[in-house]
Amino acid sequence: MDCWKEAVGRSWIYPTLIICANGFFSTMRPSESFLTPYLTGPDKNLTIEEVTNHIFPVWTYSYLALLFPVFLITDYVRYKPVLLLQGVSFIVTWLLLLFAHGVAAMQAVEFFYGMVTATEVAYYAYIYSVVSTDHYQRVTSYCRSITLVAATVAAVLGQLLVSLADVSYFHLNAITLASVSLAFLCSFFLPMPQKSMFFHRKDVSETLPGPDKGVPTVGSDRPSSCQEDKGSVSADRGPAPEQQAGNAEPQNHMLRVLVQLSKDLRDCYSSRKLLYWSLWWALATAGFNQVLNYIQVLWDFRAPSHSSAVYNGAVEAIATFLGSATSMAVGYVKVNWDLSGELALGIFSAMDAGSLFLMHFTDNIWACYAGYLVFKACYMLLITIATFQIAVSLSMERYALMFGFNNFVALAIQTILTVVVVDSRGLGLDIGTQFLIYGSYFTVIAGIFLIRSIYTIISIKCRNTSVAGESIDH
């Protein structure tokens, strides 16, 4: 038995299998594509205005309020407790969704779902704390692939059950509750990490690697469960002075880590390249999440679910597949993104804007579906490029830090959009006008990066001309 426990503790396969099972069941939610028809149908009997202007905004506010503290707590408690908290939040969310009624109860649903999304950071961060760096690429592909598979399976299953088996939205939500409950059970079997990226680092120095050091090389910064024999020798010599001080003065240790994180953020954003890619990331992600949050409301407005066939699940399945395909295609395209990246950001952001304008001006539900497919595929293409461009020159720790901060900025921008455009205490615009605003928003993003790309191209040409002139003079 001891040998078995030791083998499980040292192997990267066991935690990868469990975290992938957790990811599959937590993402396999067939009812999610049909949330708005469920809320506005006979089960909950809410109006489109209540759903749009009073209920859905709560998710944005709770997500913003919880994201930063959860990000820090996740690292401090070493991930597994936060995955358990996510499981509890999932179960509470769907219990309320099934059995509670009224606007206030559905606002509570959105609050707990905000907790779910705020704790998602623990899913990817966990696996890096229990496997060695030489397995990072493989386990990352597994973890990401399994969630894409689960999302596709959930959307297809939901559509088939609704269209062919005439299953009610209530029973779809019951299936989702069973799935997220299985995810919660899986999280109990995860090994407890012995390290984390920031508060429980096992290397000699507490200072995070700089951007110029790149992604960690194989064998560096290994988790303690995967260290080689020489790691155990160094452990026998006792804790480093920094660790002793941290144990004696945990508050000073936490303050020291927070100061270091702020310095790392300042260093990362001092790079103009990272600043521009992060700017697009924050602006576009805010708009993307806003569209995803309200797209079902627009579909229900164009083709009311009580009188029309609903194909939300099929559309989401196709959108997920197209997003995966475009993301994968990026890896096979040989382009100098340092030169052409900003132009690509401008062009595809303009395509996003065009698809949103199409959804605003058309009354045809199929045109709305097509616009959404184009919108999501373009965003997934660009976010993949942006992720690579940011990650390629950063250590794992600094990438995680920038990822968290960029998402926090995106959420802050999304909150402003929600307060001004959606919330009944703001303008409280109808759903059609909202998508006109979102189209205009992406037009501004496209304009920023198209102008920036033209300026970059002109600067390069002038520089080349200057160099050529100097060569002739010599």
Side-chain angles (χ1 to χ4, degrees):
M1 181 63 69
D2 291 338
C3 293
W4 165 253
K5 289 182 178 179
E6 184 177 353
V8 167
R10 288 181 177 274
S11 174
W12 64 273
I13 298 175
Y14 174 77
T16 303
L17 285 174
I18 300 299
I19 197 67
C20 284
N22 174 276
F24 179 85
F25 289 118
S26 63
T27 310
M28 217 289 289
R29 307 190 293 263
S31 63
E32 202 158 58
S33 300
F34 303 93
L35 177 60
T36 298
Y38 175 66
L39 293 177
T40 58
D43 291 287
K44 301 302 175 186
N45 202 28
L46 298 167
T47 66
I48 284 286
E49 289 74 20
E50 287 173 330
V51 171
T52 306
N53 304 123
H54 296 277
I55 296 173
F56 282 177
V58 175
W59 171 78
T60 306
Y61 304 149
S62 63
Y63 189 11
L64 178 66
L66 294 168
L67 181 61
F68 184 69
V70 167
F71 179 79
L72 294 178
I73 292 171
T74 298
D75 191 89
Y76 189 75
V77 300
R78 291 175 292 175
Y79 314 120
K80 181 177 177 178
V82 175
L83 287 169
L84 292 170
L85 174 62
Q86 184 187 53
V88 171
S89 301
F90 262 128
I91 292 171
V92 172
T93 297
W94 260 270
L95 283 174
L96 289 172
L97 200 54
L98 281 168
F99 302 112
H101 296 273
V103 172
M106 295 305 102
Q107 288 175 332
V109 167
E110 293 297 313
F111 171 80
F112 281 104
Y113 194 67
M115 177 69 77
V116 167
T117 48
T119 53
E120 281 179 351
V121 64
Y123 174 71
Y124 290 108
Y126 170 85
I127 200 64
Y128 299 128
S129 67
V130 293
V131 304
S132 57
T133 52
D134 52 337
H135 293 121
Y136 275 6
Q137 183 173 351
R138 184 180 297 183
V139 299
T140 300
S141 66
Y142 291 160
C143 290
R144 289 190 180 278
S145 299
I146 200 70
T147 55
L148 291 173
V149 169
T152 305
V153 169
V156 172
L157 177 63
Q159 188 65 61
L160 291 176
L161 290 175
V162 168
S163 299
L164 301 182
D166 200 26
V167 172
S168 67
Y169 297 138
F170 179 88
H171 289 103
L172 276 186
N173 281 289
I175 294 171
T176 298
L177 176 60
S179 182
V180 298
S181 298
L182 286 174
F184 178 57
L185 290 177
C186 288
S187 60
F188 277 102
F189 295 96
L190 291 169
M192 185 67 183
Q194 299 303 309
K195 63 163 280 183
S196 65
M197 286 189 180
F198 305 117
F199 289 102
H200 302 283
R201 291 173 57 82
K202 294 297 182 181
D203 49 8
V204 176
S205 173
E206 292 281 346
T207 304
L208 299 178
D212 56 325
K213 295 185 181 180
V215 179
T217 57
V218 173
S220 65
D221 195 25
R222 290 178 181 268
S224 60
S225 60
C226 303
Q227 286 178 335
E228 296 174 349
D229 292 339
K230 61 184 179 182
S232 61
V233 172
S234 63
D236 292 338
R237 295 173 184 170
E242 291 90 343
Q243 291 173 320
Q244 290 178 334
N247 292 333
E249 303 177 40
Q251 292 182 343
N252 290 341
H253 173 66
M254 180 175 290
L255 180 61
R256 187 167 61 252
V257 171
L258 292 176
V259 170
Q260 183 62 48
L261 293 180
S262 65
K263 290 180 179 178
D264 287 322
L265 272 179
R266 182 189 61 196
D267 291 343
C268 290
Y269 289 110
S270 64
S271 166
R272 183 170 296 182
K273 169 189 168 182
L274 295 182
L275 179 62
Y276 284 125
W277 283 102
S278 296
L279 176 63
W280 178 87
W281 182 319
L283 290 171
T285 299
F288 177 77
N289 288 340
Q290 191 75 351
V291 170
L292 254 61
N293 208 24
Y294 295 95
I295 188 64
Q296 288 187 33
V297 179
L298 179 70
W299 291 341
D300 202 75
F301 177 72
R302 297 294 184 221
S305 54
H306 59 81
S307 59
S308 307
V310 179
Y311 297 101
N312 296 5
V315 174
E316 287 291 355
I318 297 171
T320 301
F321 174 78
L322 288 177
S324 304
T326 54
S327 298
M328 188 176 296
V330 171
Y332 296 93
V333 177
K334 303 299 181 183
V335 176
N336 183 357
W337 296 114
D338 289 335
L339 180 63
S340 307
E342 291 171 353
L343 182 62
L345 293 178
I347 292 174
F348 285 102
S349 294
M351 291 178 64
D352 277 339
S355 65
L356 291 170
F357 284 133
L358 172 65
M359 287 186 267
H360 166 73
F361 287 109
T362 186
D363 291 327
N364 188 297
I365 186 61
W366 295 103
C368 283
Y369 285 152
Y372 175 69
L373 294 177
V374 172
F375 174 79
K376 190 168 185 178
C378 289
Y379 172 82
M380 294 305 294
L381 172 71
L382 292 180
I383 198 66
T384 303
I385 299 170
T387 300
F388 171 75
Q389 288 296 106
I390 292 174
V392 70
S393 57
L394 293 175
S395 68
M396 181 65 69
E397 291 85 355
R398 283 198 169 185
Y399 170 70
L401 185 61
M402 285 197 74
F403 176 84
F405 190 78
N406 287 346
N407 280 340
F408 179 79
V409 174
L411 194 52
I413 297 171
Q414 184 186 354
T415 301
I416 295 171
L417 281 173
T418 301
V419 170
V420 175
V421 176
V422 182
D423 200 302
S424 58
R425 290 165 290 187
L427 296 177
L429 299 176
D430 63 88
I431 190 63
T433 308
Q434 284 182 37
F435 273 74
L436 176 64
I437 299 295
Y438 303 150
S440 303
Y441 175 82
F442 272 91
T443 301
V444 172
I445 296 174
I448 291 172
F449 287 94
L450 285 173
I451 293 171
R452 170 68 190 168
S453 66
I454 293 171
Y455 172 79
T456 301
I457 292 171
I458 293 174
S459 298
I460 292 173
K461 286 186 176 180
C462 290
R463 194 180 306 124
N464 292 340
T465 303
S466 176
V467 171
E470 290 176 1
S471 300
I472 293 172
D473 291 339
H474 287 300

